[in-house]
Amino acid sequence: MATILDGKEVSKIYRERLKKEIDQLREKGYRKPSLAVILVGNDPASQVYVNNKRKACSKVGIESLFYHLPEDCKEEKLLSLVKELNENPEVDGILVQLPLPKHINPQRVIETIRPDKDVDGFHPENMGKLIANLDSGFIPCTPLGIKILLEHYGIDVQGKDTTIVGAGYIVGKPLSVLLLNQNATVTTCHIYTKDLKKHTLNADILISATGVAHLIKEDMVKEGAVVIDVGISKKDGKIVGDVDFEKVKEKASYITPVPGGVGPMTVTALLLNTFKAYKNHLGLD
Ligand code: GUN
């Protein structure tokens, strides 16, 4: 029976620590850190994620400014809002919730966010800094949250066979680089991978980020593996992950639950990135 990697509990520790640091700076007379959150359209899942992020900001003392644009909003309108926030000295971070409606080019939006405010870490300059292993950029929130979670439980990735299922821009690709920077032996699988099971079975650390409910079955997991589930989907009205948790937990050494695993860690990483942007802007540290 695996040890649960409790993202909720670890988040609590990190967020309390962050709140103390922010409180101390406020006592010295510094302004609040602030995050601008932009949501385009009415996707129900995105609305939940954005609400969670804003609530988490408020709890640690980060101001969140919310911009809700209609589904049919012109790309130009969104770009001019981002440019305005780029120039606003009171705004430390800018987050545009993805996915965007089909008529908006997400890459153009991401590239418009000033890299020093790109707390999602999606701007090519920040992605480039990740590949260059430079600390001055922002690491995308889910990969960073997973790194913190593993560190908290003392799980060292160096030399480990690590298989990542999913090669997307938000999780799989940057996570592959992040783990490679920590000297893991990384295999990244995607829809063209010929024999997924071969790669998952080889993994000391298995991370799945596909959004396909229960893709990872127990016969695909090595005995004693560390299993990290990034997926969130609905199955029979229930929120489930990419991993068949009930069966896989009997085989794994450590496993994240869904919900309560990676999700809260992603939000915690966003708070940490926003605080980093704030300190950079104020010339602190
Ligand atoms: N949609 C899914 N994950 C993310 C994320 O980390 N940031 C943003 N902006 N949108 C997302």
Side-chain angles (χ1 to χ4, degrees), residues 22-205:
I22 293 172
D23 286 347
Q24 280 167 7
L25 288 168
R26 295 281 289 147
E27 277 163 26
K28 289 185 187 160
Y30 290 101
R31 66 166 171 81
K32 276 186 166 186
S34 85
L35 174 68
V37 178
I38 305 173
L39 174 65
V40 185
N42 300 307
D43 176 61
S46 288
Q47 282 178 328
V48 170
Y49 298 146
V50 160
N51 279 339
N52 283 343
K53 290 172 186 181
R54 295 195 65 217
K55 262 191 237 157
C57 280
S58 155
K59 276 198 171 166
V60 298
I62 295 174
E63 184 98 57
S64 79
L65 311 165
F66 183 48
Y67 300 87
H68 194 177
L69 304 179
E71 180 80 27
D72 62 356
C73 162
K74 292 258 190 310
E75 184 177 296
E76 265 317 306
K77 187 114 195 250
L78 175 58
L79 295 180
S80 43
L81 172 59
V82 170
K83 286 175 194 163
E84 188 187 309
L85 295 166
N86 280 342
E87 296 311 314
N88 184 342
E90 306 261 292
V91 170
D92 295 300
I94 302 169
L95 180 147
V96 180
Q97 186 65 29
L98 302 175
L100 286 164
K102 282 195 179 61
H103 66 280
I104 298 178
N105 179 339
Q107 205 56 33
R108 201 143 49 215
V109 176
I110 287 166
E111 287 180 30
T112 303
I113 298 172
R114 227 168 65 188
D116 63 293
K117 297 193 176 191
D118 170 38
V119 288
D120 259 327
F122 296 158
H123 191 286
E125 183 173 312
N126 285 315
M127 285 289 187
K129 284 184 174 178
L130 175 59
I131 292 192
N133 202 6
L134 299 173
D135 287 335
S136 61
F138 294 101
I139 297 170
C141 299
T142 301
L144 178 58
I146 291 170
K147 176 176 182 264
I148 294 169
L149 188 63
L150 290 171
E151 275 170 7
H152 184 85
Y153 284 89
I155 299 165
D156 186 10
V157 304
Q158 179 156 293
K160 300 275 170 64
D161 287 324
T162 302
T163 297
I164 299 169
V165 186
Y169 192 79
I170 292 177
V171 183
K173 217 184 264 189
L175 181 60
S176 299
V177 174
L178 186 63
L179 294 173
L180 185 57
N181 286 345
Q182 295 181 272
N183 304 320
T185 301
V186 179
T187 302
T188 311
C189 301
H190 42 73
I191 48 169
Y192 296 104
T193 298
K194 278 189 287 189
D195 186 353
L196 178 62
K197 190 172 167 181
K198 179 178 99 178
H199 297 293
T200 60
L201 264 178
N202 183 53
D204 304 314
I205 300 174

Side-chain angles (χ1 to χ4, degrees), residues 214-227:
H214 291 179
L215 173 71
I216 308 294
K217 311 270 187 228
E218 63 183 321
D219 65 340
M220 297 168 73
V221 178
K222 180 156 87 177
E223 191 77 43
V226 175
V227 179

Side-chain angles (χ1 to χ4, degrees), residues 1 214 218 238 243-251 255:
M1 175 66 185
H214 291 179
E218 63 183 321
K238 240 184 88 184
V243 176
D244 188 353
F245 180 86
E246 286 307 321
K247 298 228 173 83
V248 172
K249 78 176 196 296
E250 303 301 329
K251 223 170 166 185
I255 191 167

